[in-house]
Amino acid sequence: MRFCGVACMCVLLVAVAAAQQDKLDDTIDHELPSLVSTYLALHAAPELSHREEKTAAFLAGALRKLGFEVTEHVGKYEKPDWQGHGIIAVMKSGNGPTVLVRSDMDALPVEEQTGLPYASHVRAKNDAGQDVGVMHACGHDIHITSLIGVARTLSQMKDSWHGTLVLVGQPAEETIDGARAMLADGLYSRIPRPDYALALHDSADLEAGKIGYTPGYAMASATAVDVIIRGRGAHGSQPEVSKDPIVLAAEFIMAIQTIVSRENSPLDPAVVTVGSIHGGTRYNIIPDDVHLQLTIRTYKEPVRQRILASLDRIAKGIALAGGVPEDRAPTVEASKTEVTPAMYNDPALTARVVAAMSKRLGAEKVVELPPVMGSEDFGAFGLEGHKIPTFLLRLGAIDADRLAASQKSGVPLPSLHSSLFWPVPEPTIRTGVKAMTLAVLELMGK
Ligand SMILES: [Zn+2]
Ligand SMILES: [Zn+2]
């Protein structure tokens, strides 16, 4: 009798799980055409970081329609003229854990070259007032669409979960100050502090239909650094009366290559990249100064500090060797806003969610990936010291045939941030919605 009871219970649980699975697949099948059109519309209308006004309003409207309690305009930046366009959407279903699911919303100053029928032709002014093309070259439109999909599945499956579901539309991920701006604007006093925080990011080298995960440290810390090499301007024909900052900047760029290759342990990953250099106005003028913008990526804080000190030392040393007077010494300044710590996937949370996803998506579709030197500010939602367990999953976004052709030819596919990057919408969004719904159900399921 007792054994029979246990057996009956097992049969019942298996039947409930199977019914839930069917319901989830049916819901996604039903929602997919409209989600794909949402994606195409978002893709054609990207907005730059700190300016996600229309995207945020669209997301807020979509979530409100599903019965979420939505708060708009969340986010406080250090620069007072930037508006916070963050969205918080809350749905409760009795007592249970609080789970936060975040999508970023911003696009990049990249002119789209994909030639797709739904390509972006948007142009806008960047922070420097320059006219730039705007493109969802990082796939945040895939993330927003997946979040709307998750909102639809979970609002229709409310009897399958309990607790407080918090969906977050985060602005300014590309400038890595959006998560911090939402926290600074009292995110965790407006909602119950989450027990778990989840997010997804598309991948430019993983097949659509697959999910990737990296337990522990997964993405590097990022620090933006401004360097100004100052000299003494002169006529281009009279270098002898100048201190040419262009030549000094060239020396500086070559000299800093040794920071990673000669000063850093090969066992400590680090990157120093000069992403921008501007100096001078025309052929025959030696300018007064040259501005460089660098990004530093590391996993360990002492490595980051040492690289910053090396940049300063090398810049000053080159100026000294070049005879630049002390009052024209170079400046090396690490940004206080465009900086984010390394992204850490809580190993226990990762293992739990990965097991749930493998069971339902198939183990061959859920693959472990090595850490990367890219960065994400999603980790900020976990608070300093990883107080709230966080997990960022990678969403395969590339058509299997394209991926196979690239592997065969050895020609790499366009990476994230490339003007040629394009995720394949249908299977990517389907998998994104399904995987994230399964993750939430694992944490909040009855
Ligand atoms: Zn990006
Ligand atoms: Zn991104």
Side-chain angles (χ1 to χ4, degrees), residues 38-56 58 85 104-114 118-126 132-142 144 172 174 419 421:
T38 294
Y39 166 72
L40 300 183
L42 286 168
H43 188 80
E47 293 175 297
L48 290 173
S49 311
H50 310 122
R51 293 175 175 79
E52 309 86 347
E53 195 175 354
K54 291 189 191 117
T55 309
F58 173 80
H85 293 302
D104 35 20
M105 303 188 291
D106 53 332
L108 287 158
V110 171
E111 195 170 320
E112 180 157 358
Q113 308 287 345
T114 59
Y118 53 91
S120 160
H121 301 288
V122 172
R123 301 196 69 81
K125 291 255 183 287
N126 67 8
V132 291
V134 187
M135 175 187 176
H136 268 298
C138 203
H140 296 184
D141 44 359
I142 287 279
I144 304 166
E174 295 296 353
S419 59
F421 167 69

Side-chain angles (χ1 to χ4, degrees), residues 104 138 140 143 173-174 201 376 417:
D104 35 20
C138 203
H140 296 184
H143 310 167
E173 188 282 324
E174 295 296 353
H201 201 296
E376 244 295 342
H417 291 202

